Short mmCIF file of all heavy atoms in Angstrom, two decimals:
data_model
loop_
_atom_site.label_atom_id
_atom_site.label_comp_id
_atom_site.label_asym_id
_atom_site.label_seq_id
_atom_site.Cartn_x
_atom_site.Cartn_y
_atom_site.Cartn_z
N MET N 11 114.08 83.84 93.81
CA MET N 11 113.86 85.19 93.27
C MET N 11 112.55 85.30 92.57
O MET N 11 111.85 86.30 92.72
CB MET N 11 115.00 85.58 92.31
CG MET N 11 114.88 86.96 91.76
SD MET N 11 115.15 88.19 93.02
CE MET N 11 115.74 89.52 92.07
N GLU N 12 112.13 84.24 91.87
CA GLU N 12 110.82 84.26 91.18
C GLU N 12 109.71 84.33 92.16
O GLU N 12 108.71 85.03 91.92
CB GLU N 12 110.68 83.03 90.29
CG GLU N 12 109.49 83.14 89.38
CD GLU N 12 109.49 82.08 88.29
OE1 GLU N 12 110.53 81.79 87.78
OE2 GLU N 12 108.38 81.64 88.01
N ASP N 13 109.82 83.66 93.31
CA ASP N 13 108.79 83.76 94.33
C ASP N 13 108.64 85.17 94.85
O ASP N 13 107.50 85.66 95.10
CB ASP N 13 109.07 82.82 95.51
CG ASP N 13 108.79 81.35 95.18
OD1 ASP N 13 108.10 81.05 94.21
OD2 ASP N 13 109.34 80.49 95.90
N GLN N 14 109.76 85.84 95.08
CA GLN N 14 109.71 87.24 95.49
C GLN N 14 109.04 88.10 94.50
O GLN N 14 108.22 88.98 94.86
CB GLN N 14 111.16 87.74 95.75
CG GLN N 14 111.81 87.07 96.95
CD GLN N 14 113.25 87.55 97.08
OE1 GLN N 14 113.91 87.87 96.08
NE2 GLN N 14 113.77 87.50 98.31
N LEU N 15 109.32 87.94 93.24
CA LEU N 15 108.64 88.75 92.18
C LEU N 15 107.18 88.44 92.14
O LEU N 15 106.36 89.40 91.99
CB LEU N 15 109.34 88.49 90.84
CG LEU N 15 110.69 89.07 90.65
CD1 LEU N 15 111.29 88.66 89.31
CD2 LEU N 15 110.67 90.61 90.77
N ASN N 16 106.81 87.19 92.27
CA ASN N 16 105.39 86.86 92.25
C ASN N 16 104.67 87.48 93.47
O ASN N 16 103.58 88.01 93.33
CB ASN N 16 105.20 85.33 92.26
CG ASN N 16 105.53 84.70 90.95
OD1 ASN N 16 105.51 85.36 89.89
ND2 ASN N 16 105.87 83.42 90.97
N ASN N 17 105.32 87.44 94.65
CA ASN N 17 104.73 88.05 95.82
C ASN N 17 104.61 89.58 95.63
O ASN N 17 103.60 90.18 96.04
CB ASN N 17 105.56 87.74 97.09
CG ASN N 17 105.42 86.31 97.52
OD1 ASN N 17 104.50 85.60 97.13
ND2 ASN N 17 106.39 85.85 98.26
N CYS N 18 105.58 90.16 95.00
CA CYS N 18 105.58 91.58 94.74
C CYS N 18 104.42 91.96 93.84
O CYS N 18 103.70 92.93 94.09
CB CYS N 18 106.91 92.01 94.17
SG CYS N 18 107.08 93.78 93.87
N VAL N 19 104.24 91.17 92.81
CA VAL N 19 103.13 91.41 91.84
C VAL N 19 101.82 91.32 92.55
O VAL N 19 100.93 92.16 92.38
CB VAL N 19 103.24 90.45 90.63
CG1 VAL N 19 101.97 90.49 89.83
CG2 VAL N 19 104.43 90.78 89.80
N VAL N 20 101.66 90.34 93.39
CA VAL N 20 100.38 90.14 94.13
C VAL N 20 100.14 91.40 95.03
O VAL N 20 98.99 91.91 95.11
CB VAL N 20 100.39 88.85 94.95
CG1 VAL N 20 99.28 88.82 95.98
CG2 VAL N 20 100.37 87.64 94.10
N MET N 21 101.14 91.81 95.76
CA MET N 21 101.03 92.97 96.64
C MET N 21 100.69 94.22 95.87
O MET N 21 99.81 95.06 96.28
CB MET N 21 102.27 93.19 97.46
CG MET N 21 102.53 92.05 98.44
SD MET N 21 103.99 92.34 99.39
CE MET N 21 103.35 93.36 100.67
N LEU N 22 101.37 94.47 94.75
CA LEU N 22 101.10 95.66 93.94
C LEU N 22 99.72 95.66 93.31
O LEU N 22 99.04 96.69 93.25
CB LEU N 22 102.19 95.84 92.88
CG LEU N 22 103.58 96.19 93.44
CD1 LEU N 22 104.62 96.20 92.30
CD2 LEU N 22 103.57 97.50 94.15
N ARG N 23 99.28 94.49 92.89
CA ARG N 23 97.91 94.37 92.37
C ARG N 23 96.88 94.71 93.44
O ARG N 23 95.87 95.38 93.19
CB ARG N 23 97.62 92.97 91.86
CG ARG N 23 98.27 92.69 90.50
CD ARG N 23 97.93 91.25 90.06
NE ARG N 23 98.73 90.83 88.98
CZ ARG N 23 98.31 90.90 87.71
NH1 ARG N 23 97.10 91.36 87.43
NH2 ARG N 23 99.12 90.52 86.72
N ARG N 24 97.14 94.25 94.70
CA ARG N 24 96.24 94.54 95.78
C ARG N 24 96.21 96.02 96.09
O ARG N 24 95.17 96.64 96.30
CB ARG N 24 96.63 93.75 97.05
CG ARG N 24 95.63 93.88 98.13
CD ARG N 24 95.95 92.97 99.30
NE ARG N 24 97.04 93.61 100.05
CZ ARG N 24 97.97 92.96 100.73
NH1 ARG N 24 97.95 91.70 100.79
NH2 ARG N 24 98.88 93.65 101.37
N LEU N 25 97.37 96.66 96.06
CA LEU N 25 97.46 98.12 96.28
C LEU N 25 96.72 98.87 95.20
O LEU N 25 95.91 99.79 95.49
CB LEU N 25 98.93 98.55 96.36
CG LEU N 25 99.15 100.06 96.52
CD1 LEU N 25 98.52 100.53 97.81
CD2 LEU N 25 100.65 100.38 96.50
N VAL N 26 96.94 98.49 93.95
CA VAL N 26 96.21 99.21 92.90
C VAL N 26 94.69 98.97 93.02
O VAL N 26 93.89 99.94 92.85
CB VAL N 26 96.72 98.69 91.52
CG1 VAL N 26 95.84 99.21 90.36
CG2 VAL N 26 98.17 99.16 91.28
N SER N 27 94.31 97.80 93.34
CA SER N 27 92.89 97.52 93.55
C SER N 27 92.32 98.34 94.66
O SER N 27 91.17 98.92 94.53
CB SER N 27 92.67 96.01 93.82
OG SER N 27 91.35 95.76 94.10
N ASP N 28 93.05 98.48 95.76
CA ASP N 28 92.60 99.28 96.87
C ASP N 28 92.45 100.72 96.45
O ASP N 28 91.49 101.43 96.85
CB ASP N 28 93.55 99.19 98.04
CG ASP N 28 93.53 97.84 98.71
OD1 ASP N 28 92.55 97.05 98.44
OD2 ASP N 28 94.41 97.56 99.52
N ILE N 29 93.41 101.26 95.71
CA ILE N 29 93.33 102.64 95.25
C ILE N 29 92.17 102.85 94.29
O ILE N 29 91.41 103.83 94.39
CB ILE N 29 94.65 103.06 94.56
CG1 ILE N 29 95.76 103.10 95.64
CG2 ILE N 29 94.54 104.39 93.87
CD1 ILE N 29 97.15 103.20 95.10
N GLN N 30 91.95 101.85 93.40
CA GLN N 30 90.78 101.98 92.49
C GLN N 30 89.47 101.98 93.27
O GLN N 30 88.47 102.46 92.79
CB GLN N 30 90.80 100.84 91.50
CG GLN N 30 91.89 100.96 90.47
CD GLN N 30 91.89 99.78 89.50
OE1 GLN N 30 91.62 98.61 89.92
NE2 GLN N 30 92.22 100.05 88.28
N GLY N 31 89.46 101.40 94.48
CA GLY N 31 88.22 101.33 95.28
C GLY N 31 87.98 102.57 96.10
O GLY N 31 87.19 102.56 97.06
N ALA N 32 88.68 103.64 95.79
CA ALA N 32 88.51 104.87 96.56
C ALA N 32 87.02 105.35 96.50
O ALA N 32 86.37 105.19 95.47
CB ALA N 32 89.39 105.96 95.95
N PRO N 33 86.57 105.87 97.58
CA PRO N 33 85.20 106.36 97.63
C PRO N 33 85.06 107.49 96.59
O PRO N 33 85.88 108.37 96.43
CB PRO N 33 85.03 106.98 99.05
CG PRO N 33 86.14 106.41 99.83
CD PRO N 33 87.26 106.06 98.88
N TYR N 34 83.90 107.44 95.89
CA TYR N 34 83.63 108.51 94.93
C TYR N 34 83.39 109.85 95.60
O TYR N 34 82.69 109.94 96.62
CB TYR N 34 82.35 108.10 94.10
CG TYR N 34 82.07 108.99 92.94
CD1 TYR N 34 82.85 108.95 91.84
CD2 TYR N 34 81.06 109.89 93.02
CE1 TYR N 34 82.65 109.76 90.75
CE2 TYR N 34 80.81 110.76 91.93
CZ TYR N 34 81.62 110.68 90.79
OH TYR N 34 81.37 111.50 89.73
N PRO N 35 84.08 110.91 95.13
CA PRO N 35 84.00 112.23 95.82
C PRO N 35 82.57 112.69 96.13
O PRO N 35 82.34 113.33 97.16
CB PRO N 35 84.70 113.15 94.87
CG PRO N 35 85.63 112.27 94.10
CD PRO N 35 84.92 110.97 93.97
N GLY N 36 81.61 112.42 95.27
CA GLY N 36 80.27 112.93 95.51
C GLY N 36 79.55 112.17 96.61
O GLY N 36 78.56 112.72 97.16
N THR N 37 79.99 111.00 96.97
CA THR N 37 79.27 110.24 97.96
C THR N 37 80.12 110.01 99.20
O THR N 37 79.76 109.25 100.10
CB THR N 37 78.98 108.80 97.39
OG1 THR N 37 80.18 108.15 97.07
CG2 THR N 37 78.05 108.91 96.20
N ILE N 38 81.23 110.73 99.27
CA ILE N 38 82.16 110.49 100.34
C ILE N 38 81.69 111.10 101.67
O ILE N 38 81.08 112.17 101.68
CB ILE N 38 83.57 111.09 100.00
CG1 ILE N 38 84.66 110.51 100.86
CG2 ILE N 38 83.56 112.58 100.03
CD1 ILE N 38 86.02 110.78 100.33
N ASN N 39 81.94 110.40 102.71
CA ASN N 39 81.75 110.95 104.06
C ASN N 39 83.01 110.71 104.85
O ASN N 39 83.90 109.90 104.42
CB ASN N 39 80.53 110.36 104.78
CG ASN N 39 80.69 108.89 105.07
OD1 ASN N 39 81.71 108.46 105.61
ND2 ASN N 39 79.65 108.12 104.76
N GLU N 40 83.22 111.42 105.91
CA GLU N 40 84.47 111.39 106.61
C GLU N 40 84.86 109.99 107.11
O GLU N 40 85.99 109.56 106.97
CB GLU N 40 84.42 112.34 107.80
CG GLU N 40 85.73 112.54 108.48
CD GLU N 40 85.69 113.61 109.58
OE1 GLU N 40 85.08 114.68 109.35
OE2 GLU N 40 86.27 113.35 110.62
N GLU N 41 83.89 109.29 107.69
CA GLU N 41 84.19 107.96 108.18
C GLU N 41 84.59 106.97 107.07
O GLU N 41 85.54 106.23 107.18
CB GLU N 41 82.99 107.42 108.94
CG GLU N 41 83.30 106.06 109.57
CD GLU N 41 82.16 105.52 110.39
OE1 GLU N 41 81.10 106.17 110.51
OE2 GLU N 41 82.27 104.39 110.91
N LEU N 42 83.83 106.99 105.95
CA LEU N 42 84.11 106.10 104.86
C LEU N 42 85.53 106.36 104.28
O LEU N 42 86.30 105.48 104.02
CB LEU N 42 83.07 106.24 103.74
CG LEU N 42 83.29 105.42 102.50
CD1 LEU N 42 83.26 103.92 102.83
CD2 LEU N 42 82.18 105.72 101.47
N TYR N 43 85.82 107.65 104.09
CA TYR N 43 87.12 108.04 103.58
C TYR N 43 88.24 107.63 104.56
O TYR N 43 89.26 107.07 104.15
CB TYR N 43 87.26 109.54 103.36
CG TYR N 43 88.56 109.96 102.85
CD1 TYR N 43 88.88 109.77 101.51
CD2 TYR N 43 89.52 110.50 103.67
CE1 TYR N 43 90.13 110.10 101.02
CE2 TYR N 43 90.79 110.85 103.18
CZ TYR N 43 91.08 110.68 101.85
OH TYR N 43 92.32 111.02 101.35
N ARG N 44 88.04 107.83 105.86
CA ARG N 44 89.06 107.46 106.85
C ARG N 44 89.33 105.95 106.82
O ARG N 44 90.49 105.50 106.83
CB ARG N 44 88.58 107.88 108.27
CG ARG N 44 89.62 107.55 109.33
CD ARG N 44 89.12 107.94 110.75
NE ARG N 44 87.80 107.38 111.08
CZ ARG N 44 87.58 106.16 111.44
NH1 ARG N 44 88.56 105.29 111.50
NH2 ARG N 44 86.35 105.72 111.74
N ILE N 45 88.27 105.13 106.73
CA ILE N 45 88.44 103.70 106.63
C ILE N 45 89.22 103.32 105.42
O ILE N 45 90.16 102.51 105.44
CB ILE N 45 87.07 102.99 106.68
CG1 ILE N 45 86.45 103.16 108.05
CG2 ILE N 45 87.21 101.52 106.39
CD1 ILE N 45 84.97 102.77 108.13
N TRP N 46 88.81 103.88 104.29
CA TRP N 46 89.51 103.54 103.03
C TRP N 46 90.97 104.00 103.10
O TRP N 46 91.87 103.26 102.73
CB TRP N 46 88.82 104.24 101.85
CG TRP N 46 89.60 104.16 100.59
CD1 TRP N 46 89.69 103.11 99.74
CD2 TRP N 46 90.46 105.12 100.02
NE1 TRP N 46 90.51 103.40 98.68
CE2 TRP N 46 91.02 104.66 98.86
CE3 TRP N 46 90.82 106.44 100.46
CZ2 TRP N 46 91.93 105.39 98.10
CZ3 TRP N 46 91.72 107.15 99.71
CH2 TRP N 46 92.26 106.62 98.52
N TYR N 47 91.22 105.21 103.57
CA TYR N 47 92.56 105.76 103.60
C TYR N 47 93.45 104.93 104.46
O TYR N 47 94.60 104.57 104.06
CB TYR N 47 92.54 107.20 104.13
CG TYR N 47 93.85 107.88 104.15
CD1 TYR N 47 94.39 108.43 103.00
CD2 TYR N 47 94.56 107.95 105.32
CE1 TYR N 47 95.62 109.05 102.99
CE2 TYR N 47 95.82 108.57 105.33
CZ TYR N 47 96.34 109.10 104.21
OH TYR N 47 97.56 109.72 104.19
N GLU N 48 93.01 104.52 105.67
CA GLU N 48 93.80 103.70 106.59
C GLU N 48 94.10 102.34 105.89
O GLU N 48 95.21 101.84 106.08
CB GLU N 48 93.08 103.51 107.91
CG GLU N 48 93.07 104.78 108.75
CD GLU N 48 92.26 104.62 109.99
OE1 GLU N 48 91.71 103.55 110.28
OE2 GLU N 48 92.13 105.62 110.73
N HIS N 49 93.15 101.78 105.24
CA HIS N 49 93.34 100.49 104.58
C HIS N 49 94.42 100.60 103.48
O HIS N 49 95.33 99.78 103.40
CB HIS N 49 92.01 99.99 104.01
CG HIS N 49 92.16 98.70 103.26
ND1 HIS N 49 92.27 97.49 103.90
CD2 HIS N 49 92.17 98.44 101.94
CE1 HIS N 49 92.39 96.53 103.01
NE2 HIS N 49 92.30 97.07 101.80
N VAL N 50 94.31 101.63 102.64
CA VAL N 50 95.29 101.83 101.57
C VAL N 50 96.64 102.13 102.13
O VAL N 50 97.66 101.63 101.64
CB VAL N 50 94.78 102.91 100.58
CG1 VAL N 50 95.91 103.30 99.58
CG2 VAL N 50 93.56 102.46 99.86
N GLN N 51 96.73 102.93 103.16
CA GLN N 51 98.03 103.25 103.80
C GLN N 51 98.68 101.99 104.30
O GLN N 51 99.91 101.77 104.15
CB GLN N 51 97.87 104.27 104.95
CG GLN N 51 97.69 105.67 104.45
CD GLN N 51 98.95 106.18 103.77
OE1 GLN N 51 100.07 105.73 104.01
NE2 GLN N 51 98.77 107.13 102.88
N LYS N 52 97.91 101.13 104.96
CA LYS N 52 98.46 99.84 105.50
C LYS N 52 99.00 99.01 104.35
O LYS N 52 100.14 98.45 104.45
CB LYS N 52 97.36 99.07 106.25
CG LYS N 52 97.88 97.80 106.82
CD LYS N 52 96.77 97.05 107.55
CE LYS N 52 97.27 95.73 108.06
NZ LYS N 52 96.37 94.65 107.91
N THR N 53 98.26 98.89 103.27
CA THR N 53 98.70 98.10 102.11
C THR N 53 99.96 98.71 101.48
O THR N 53 100.92 98.00 101.11
CB THR N 53 97.60 98.01 101.04
OG1 THR N 53 96.41 97.48 101.66
CG2 THR N 53 98.00 97.10 99.88
N ALA N 54 100.03 100.03 101.37
CA ALA N 54 101.21 100.70 100.81
C ALA N 54 102.45 100.45 101.66
O ALA N 54 103.54 100.20 101.17
CB ALA N 54 100.92 102.19 100.62
N VAL N 55 102.29 100.56 102.96
CA VAL N 55 103.41 100.34 103.88
C VAL N 55 103.91 98.90 103.75
O VAL N 55 105.10 98.68 103.75
CB VAL N 55 102.99 100.68 105.37
CG1 VAL N 55 104.03 100.09 106.34
CG2 VAL N 55 102.82 102.12 105.53
N GLU N 56 102.98 97.93 103.68
CA GLU N 56 103.37 96.53 103.47
C GLU N 56 104.19 96.37 102.20
O GLU N 56 105.19 95.64 102.17
CB GLU N 56 102.16 95.64 103.46
CG GLU N 56 101.50 95.48 104.82
CD GLU N 56 100.15 94.73 104.78
OE1 GLU N 56 99.75 94.31 103.67
OE2 GLU N 56 99.57 94.60 105.81
N CYS N 57 103.77 97.05 101.14
CA CYS N 57 104.46 96.96 99.81
C CYS N 57 105.85 97.52 99.98
O CYS N 57 106.83 96.91 99.49
CB CYS N 57 103.70 97.68 98.78
SG CYS N 57 102.26 96.86 98.11
N PHE N 58 105.98 98.68 100.55
CA PHE N 58 107.31 99.32 100.73
C PHE N 58 108.25 98.46 101.59
O PHE N 58 109.41 98.32 101.32
CB PHE N 58 107.21 100.72 101.27
CG PHE N 58 106.93 101.77 100.24
CD1 PHE N 58 105.79 102.48 100.27
CD2 PHE N 58 107.84 101.98 99.19
CE1 PHE N 58 105.49 103.42 99.28
CE2 PHE N 58 107.60 102.92 98.23
CZ PHE N 58 106.43 103.67 98.25
N GLU N 59 107.69 97.94 102.69
CA GLU N 59 108.51 97.07 103.56
C GLU N 59 108.98 95.81 102.78
O GLU N 59 110.11 95.42 102.95
CB GLU N 59 107.69 96.67 104.80
CG GLU N 59 107.55 97.84 105.78
CD GLU N 59 106.65 97.50 106.94
OE1 GLU N 59 105.98 96.43 106.93
OE2 GLU N 59 106.58 98.31 107.89
N PHE N 60 108.08 95.24 102.02
CA PHE N 60 108.42 94.04 101.25
C PHE N 60 109.58 94.44 100.25
O PHE N 60 110.52 93.70 100.12
CB PHE N 60 107.20 93.56 100.48
CG PHE N 60 107.49 92.32 99.65
CD1 PHE N 60 107.47 91.06 100.18
CD2 PHE N 60 107.82 92.44 98.32
CE1 PHE N 60 107.71 89.93 99.43
CE2 PHE N 60 108.08 91.33 97.52
CZ PHE N 60 108.04 90.09 98.08
N LEU N 61 109.37 95.54 99.53
CA LEU N 61 110.38 95.94 98.56
C LEU N 61 111.72 96.25 99.26
O LEU N 61 112.79 95.83 98.71
CB LEU N 61 109.93 97.18 97.77
CG LEU N 61 108.76 96.94 96.78
CD1 LEU N 61 108.24 98.24 96.24
CD2 LEU N 61 109.16 95.98 95.68
N ASN N 62 111.71 96.96 100.33
CA ASN N 62 112.94 97.25 101.03
C ASN N 62 113.65 96.02 101.53
O ASN N 62 114.88 95.96 101.49
CB ASN N 62 112.66 98.24 102.20
CG ASN N 62 112.33 99.62 101.74
OD1 ASN N 62 112.60 100.02 100.62
ND2 ASN N 62 111.71 100.36 102.61
N HIS N 63 112.88 95.04 102.00
CA HIS N 63 113.48 93.84 102.54
C HIS N 63 114.00 92.94 101.46
O HIS N 63 115.08 92.33 101.58
CB HIS N 63 112.46 93.08 103.40
CG HIS N 63 112.94 91.81 103.99
ND1 HIS N 63 113.87 91.80 105.02
CD2 HIS N 63 112.70 90.54 103.62
CE1 HIS N 63 114.12 90.52 105.28
NE2 HIS N 63 113.46 89.75 104.48
N ASN N 64 113.26 92.77 100.38
CA ASN N 64 113.61 91.78 99.33
C ASN N 64 114.40 92.33 98.15
O ASN N 64 114.99 91.57 97.41
CB ASN N 64 112.31 91.14 98.82
CG ASN N 64 111.68 90.26 99.85
OD1 ASN N 64 112.18 89.24 100.23
ND2 ASN N 64 110.54 90.73 100.38
N PHE N 65 114.36 93.65 97.96
CA PHE N 65 115.09 94.24 96.85
C PHE N 65 115.89 95.47 97.31
O PHE N 65 115.65 96.56 96.83
CB PHE N 65 114.10 94.65 95.72
CG PHE N 65 113.26 93.47 95.22
CD1 PHE N 65 111.98 93.28 95.71
CD2 PHE N 65 113.78 92.60 94.32
CE1 PHE N 65 111.21 92.22 95.24
CE2 PHE N 65 112.99 91.52 93.82
CZ PHE N 65 111.73 91.36 94.34
N PRO N 66 116.87 95.28 98.21
CA PRO N 66 117.57 96.45 98.79
C PRO N 66 118.40 97.20 97.77
O PRO N 66 118.45 98.42 97.82
CB PRO N 66 118.46 95.81 99.90
CG PRO N 66 118.58 94.36 99.51
CD PRO N 66 117.32 94.00 98.76
N ALA N 67 119.00 96.52 96.83
CA ALA N 67 119.81 97.22 95.83
C ALA N 67 118.96 98.06 94.92
O ALA N 67 119.29 99.20 94.58
CB ALA N 67 120.63 96.22 94.97
N GLU N 68 117.80 97.53 94.53
CA GLU N 68 116.91 98.25 93.68
C GLU N 68 116.29 99.46 94.40
O GLU N 68 115.99 100.48 93.79
CB GLU N 68 115.78 97.36 93.16
CG GLU N 68 116.23 96.33 92.22
CD GLU N 68 116.83 95.07 92.82
OE1 GLU N 68 117.00 95.02 94.07
OE2 GLU N 68 117.13 94.09 92.07
N GLN N 69 116.16 99.35 95.71
CA GLN N 69 115.53 100.43 96.47
C GLN N 69 116.39 101.69 96.38
O GLN N 69 115.85 102.82 96.20
CB GLN N 69 115.42 100.02 97.97
CG GLN N 69 114.69 100.99 98.75
CD GLN N 69 115.48 101.52 99.98
OE1 GLN N 69 116.58 101.05 100.23
NE2 GLN N 69 114.96 102.50 100.64
N LYS N 70 117.71 101.58 96.40
CA LYS N 70 118.59 102.76 96.25
C LYS N 70 118.43 103.38 94.92
O LYS N 70 118.27 104.58 94.80
CB LYS N 70 120.04 102.33 96.49
CG LYS N 70 121.01 103.50 96.45
CD LYS N 70 122.45 103.06 96.67
CE LYS N 70 123.35 104.23 96.58
NZ LYS N 70 124.74 103.86 96.80
N GLU N 71 118.38 102.56 93.87
CA GLU N 71 118.20 103.09 92.53
C GLU N 71 116.83 103.76 92.36
O GLU N 71 116.74 104.87 91.77
CB GLU N 71 118.29 101.94 91.53
CG GLU N 71 118.19 102.36 90.07
CD GLU N 71 118.30 101.22 89.11
OE1 GLU N 71 119.00 100.21 89.44
OE2 GLU N 71 117.70 101.27 88.05
N ILE N 72 115.81 103.18 92.91
CA ILE N 72 114.47 103.76 92.86
C ILE N 72 114.43 105.08 93.59
O ILE N 72 113.87 106.09 93.10
CB ILE N 72 113.45 102.79 93.38
CG1 ILE N 72 113.26 101.63 92.46
CG2 ILE N 72 112.09 103.45 93.63
CD1 ILE N 72 112.47 100.43 92.99
N SER N 73 115.04 105.12 94.79
CA SER N 73 115.10 106.37 95.58
C SER N 73 115.80 107.50 94.82
O SER N 73 115.34 108.62 94.84
CB SER N 73 115.78 106.10 96.91
OG SER N 73 115.04 105.23 97.68
N GLN N 74 116.88 107.14 94.15
CA GLN N 74 117.55 108.14 93.34
C GLN N 74 116.71 108.67 92.18
O GLN N 74 116.66 109.86 91.89
CB GLN N 74 118.89 107.59 92.82
CG GLN N 74 119.93 107.37 93.90
CD GLN N 74 121.16 106.61 93.39
OE1 GLN N 74 121.15 106.04 92.29
NE2 GLN N 74 122.18 106.64 94.20
N THR N 75 116.00 107.73 91.54
CA THR N 75 115.10 108.15 90.41
C THR N 75 114.01 109.06 90.91
O THR N 75 113.69 110.05 90.31
CB THR N 75 114.52 106.89 89.75
OG1 THR N 75 115.61 106.08 89.30
CG2 THR N 75 113.63 107.27 88.58
N ILE N 76 113.40 108.66 92.03
CA ILE N 76 112.32 109.46 92.60
C ILE N 76 112.81 110.86 93.01
O ILE N 76 112.13 111.82 92.77
CB ILE N 76 111.67 108.76 93.80
CG1 ILE N 76 110.85 107.52 93.26
CG2 ILE N 76 110.71 109.67 94.55
CD1 ILE N 76 110.34 106.58 94.35
N SER N 77 113.97 110.93 93.64
CA SER N 77 114.49 112.20 94.09
C SER N 77 114.74 113.17 92.96
O SER N 77 114.71 114.40 93.13
CB SER N 77 115.77 111.98 94.89
OG SER N 77 116.83 111.54 94.11
N ARG N 78 114.97 112.68 91.74
CA ARG N 78 115.15 113.58 90.58
C ARG N 78 113.85 114.30 90.24
O ARG N 78 113.90 115.35 89.62
CB ARG N 78 115.64 112.79 89.38
CG ARG N 78 117.11 112.46 89.47
CD ARG N 78 117.61 111.80 88.18
NE ARG N 78 117.75 110.40 88.43
CZ ARG N 78 117.73 109.41 87.52
NH1 ARG N 78 117.57 109.73 86.29
NH2 ARG N 78 117.89 108.18 87.90
N PHE N 79 112.69 113.75 90.63
CA PHE N 79 111.44 114.41 90.27
C PHE N 79 111.11 115.54 91.26
O PHE N 79 110.23 116.35 90.95
CB PHE N 79 110.30 113.40 90.30
CG PHE N 79 110.39 112.41 89.17
CD1 PHE N 79 110.68 111.07 89.43
CD2 PHE N 79 110.13 112.79 87.92
CE1 PHE N 79 110.76 110.17 88.39
CE2 PHE N 79 110.23 111.91 86.85
CZ PHE N 79 110.52 110.58 87.10
N PHE N 80 111.80 115.58 92.40
CA PHE N 80 111.43 116.61 93.42
C PHE N 80 112.55 117.58 93.67
O PHE N 80 113.63 117.51 93.51
CB PHE N 80 111.02 115.91 94.76
CG PHE N 80 109.84 115.06 94.58
CD1 PHE N 80 109.96 113.67 94.49
CD2 PHE N 80 108.58 115.62 94.51
CE1 PHE N 80 108.84 112.85 94.31
CE2 PHE N 80 107.47 114.81 94.32
CZ PHE N 80 107.61 113.43 94.25
#
């Protein structure tokens, strides 16, 4: 279980880092944004797949919490 949590932390740090690396709006061009967006989307999908696979019980609880916001 500890290995799973460590892997989760690594993946989430990578996702946050990728988001922080977003192109600055004043210097953005369509190609740069597309490259960044696709990269972040890939990382986010990997994180969700990891969470769904390794923490299935928690996924239901998280989904219920998120659904209360919408």
